[in-house]
Amino acid sequence: MHDQDQDQDRIPAPAPGHDHRRLGRELGLFDTDPLMGAGLPYWLPDGAVVRHTLEEYVREAERRAGYRHVYSPVLGKRELYEISGHWEHYRDDMFPPMELGAEEVVLRPSLCPHHALVYRSRSHSYRELPLRIAELGAMYRSEPSGVLGGLTRVRAIHLNDAHIFCTPDQAAAEARAALGLIRRAHADLGIRAARYRLSLPGPGGKYVADPELWRRATALLKEALDGLPYEAVEGEAAFYGPKIDVQVADAAGRESTLSTVQIDFHQPERFGLRYTGPDGARHRPVMVHRSVIGSVERVVAHLIEAHGGAFPAWLAPVQLVVLPVGEAQRDPAYDLVRRAGEHGLRAEVAGPEQGTLGARVRAARKVPYQAVIGAREAAGGDLADVRLRDGRRPGRVPGAELLRRIAGRVRARGPELWESA
């Protein structure tokens, strides 16, 4: 279980100019409706593009790092969460059980019990470990109505979750590798880690009572953090173990938790997880929980506010907008959009019916690339007057070269919109 969403009480209100709730609606990314209910936003087409792109990115990054992806149901029997400890320690944040005949089922507040069952469904040798299981799955938290808002505090959460089942000797290295995945993702998203926080239990909290397991888990996380600056904070741990919170800051300096790494000895014991060691005996694995980008809702909210709605080019809902000056340039504009699609780019035409050229340029100011096609460009053949979101104007560029350059920058996921030939 990843507890980043418990931290949402402490997220400061955004500055008005960076509020993702306002920008998200202005940019047509998401919205809400009273009939759907509080804390249950829906994604509009452009927002769905951002979400899909993030999901594809993280799944591919995980696949390259040796993760295997699974699907698990959003419901589980109450007994499942009694075994995991969620019912005892986390019941107040769960939706009430639903009766199905003689059974009670619950909307899951976490994916980790399900992944423990996935691991337990087969026997495992030490030669298979570490076994890395990942899922981008839904989970549900019964949040009070008064604290809900935008995408940062919701009741339906879609978490980039993973659990690594490994030997005790592998746990610190796996946690450190997870931190490496997180650093790379943050760089590609154009965000930065403000600090690393080692979150420990504090007085008065609901924590598993096993001091030795807490000591071992904390020692392994400190080993994973070796060489990185971090701050130890009491009272922020998960109920079953300590965690590393990667704190990020947006352009206004506000801080929140997106990514987490946790080490868990508790649930492997509760679920009776085993592997066969080189000695032929049965041993208990360690469960490393990690989330590279956290919840999709939280990370999109952070990206909107950090970038003011101007997403990195590879993540932008529309990467290229083509603006024909008049009706005579409509056909070459649509031809350029068609070819952009063949390069895997997201492009659209903003024609004269949408207003003057100046109005259309302003409306597309969040789009990384604009290509204006006027009479001179059309007369010159396959040319477009290129304008970049950062204000630069490379000038008239052949369409084939423009698409090649944009596709190259999208693949690189770098911050630069344009590079010299």
Side-chain angles (χ1 to χ4, degrees):
M1 175 178 159
H2 298 277
D3 286 333
Q4 64 158 343
D5 294 281
Q6 291 183 343
D7 299 330
Q8 291 172 335
D9 287 339
R10 290 175 288 279
I11 297 178
H18 291 265
D19 191 337
H20 80 278
R21 295 167 296 184
R22 179 184 62 79
L23 283 171
R25 287 175 171 83
E26 286 181 3
L27 298 173
L29 302 176
F30 68 90
D31 214 326
T32 57
D33 192 290
L35 285 176
M36 289 191 188
L40 299 169
Y42 58 87
W43 297 82
L44 295 164
D46 279 355
V49 168
V50 175
R51 176 173 168 172
H52 291 162
T53 305
L54 276 171
E55 292 174 355
E56 291 166 2
Y57 165 80
V58 77
R59 285 194 183 103
E60 177 60 22
E62 289 169 338
R63 189 193 63 78
R64 290 196 307 268
Y67 288 80
R68 305 291 301 278
H69 290 92
V70 299
Y71 291 102
S72 60
V74 299
L75 292 170
K77 291 173 65 174
R78 171 177 161 174
E79 181 185 359
L80 171 63
Y81 304 106
E82 290 174 339
I83 293 171
S84 70
H86 288 83
W87 188 253
E88 178 184 357
H89 297 280
Y90 205 69
R91 187 186 320 173
D92 292 345
D93 294 291
M94 296 171 63
F95 281 96
M98 295 173 278
E99 293 186 3
L100 290 178
E103 296 180 345
E104 288 187 332
V105 296
V106 180
L107 282 167
R108 67 179 175 195
S110 172
L111 280 72
C112 43
H114 296 249
H115 288 185
L117 296 184
V118 170
Y119 178 88
R120 199 174 73 175
S121 68
R122 302 287 188 274
S123 60
H124 300 280
S125 162
Y126 74 97
R127 298 182 189 277
E128 301 172 58
L129 306 184
L131 178 63
R132 306 178 184 101
I133 294 175
E135 180 177 2
L136 207 156
M139 61 188 195
Y140 299 86
R141 305 283 173 86
S142 181
E143 302 280 10
S145 298
V147 301
L148 300 171
L151 296 178
T152 55
R153 191 73 180 250
V154 295
R155 288 172 170 160
I157 302 159
H158 297 84
L159 186 69
N160 157 234
D161 207 2
H163 299 92
I164 304 160
F165 300 89
C166 61
T167 70
D169 289 344
Q170 295 169 332
E174 287 299 313
R176 192 168 186 85
L179 289 173
L181 270 179
I182 290 166
R183 284 195 296 273
R184 175 58 190 270
H186 287 188
D188 288 342
L189 292 169
I191 57 183
R192 62 179 182 85
R195 63 190 175 104
Y196 295 90
R197 185 176 73 191
L198 178 59
S199 295
L200 303 172
K206 296 181 179 180
Y207 301 108
V208 170
D210 193 325
E212 177 58 20
L213 293 188
W214 282 93
R215 185 196 65 77
R216 292 171 62 195
T218 301
L220 288 171
L221 288 182
K222 287 182 177 179
E223 185 179 340
L225 285 165
D226 185 42
L228 294 173
Y230 70 90
E231 178 185 359
V233 178
E234 291 187 353
E236 300 293 341
F239 73 81
Y240 52 79
K243 61 192 175 92
I244 298 169
D245 291 322
V246 184
Q247 302 294 100
V248 295
D250 65 12
R254 299 184 308 271
E255 191 177 295
S256 61
T257 303
L258 287 186
S259 311
T260 58
V261 181
Q262 306 167 43
I263 287 183
D264 179 8
F265 290 97
H266 171 71
Q267 290 188 78
E269 182 176 308
R270 294 293 293 263
F271 284 101
L273 306 185
R274 300 286 187 180
Y275 67 91
T276 303
D279 57 359
R282 306 282 281 168
H283 298 270
R284 184 88 66 206
V286 179
M287 196 171 174
V288 179
H289 308 234
R290 59 103 282 227
S291 183
V292 170
I293 61 170
S295 73
V296 175
E297 291 78 13
R298 173 79 72 82
V299 74
V300 171
H302 181 78
L303 288 167
I304 293 170
E305 295 185 358
H307 297 296
F311 293 100
W314 68 275
L315 194 56
V318 178
Q319 295 161 326
L320 168 66
V321 64
V322 183
L323 302 103
V325 172
E327 288 297 327
Q329 292 82 45
R330 187 176 291 275
D331 286 346
Y334 276 100
D335 180 64
L336 185 58
V337 165
R338 178 188 59 79
R339 287 187 289 150
E342 293 173 353
H343 281 74
L345 301 174
R346 297 184 289 272
E348 61 183 35
V349 171
E353 73 281 357
Q354 297 181 27
T356 65
L357 179 61
R360 286 179 279 152
V361 167
R362 288 190 296 275
R365 65 190 180 281
K366 305 288 187 183
V367 178
Y369 303 95
Q370 298 181 6
V372 177
I373 300 179
R376 283 190 296 175
E377 286 77 27
D382 182 26
L383 290 175
D385 180 13
V386 179
R387 307 178 184 198
L388 308 182
R389 182 174 60 196
D390 59 16
R392 286 180 291 166
R393 296 183 62 167
R396 291 183 178 83
V397 179
E401 180 184 345
L402 172 63
L403 298 180
R404 177 184 62 78
R405 283 174 175 262
I406 296 175
R409 299 313 306 151
V410 167
R411 283 193 302 271
R413 298 194 183 96
E416 286 296 322
L417 295 177
W418 198 260
E419 288 186 347
S420 56

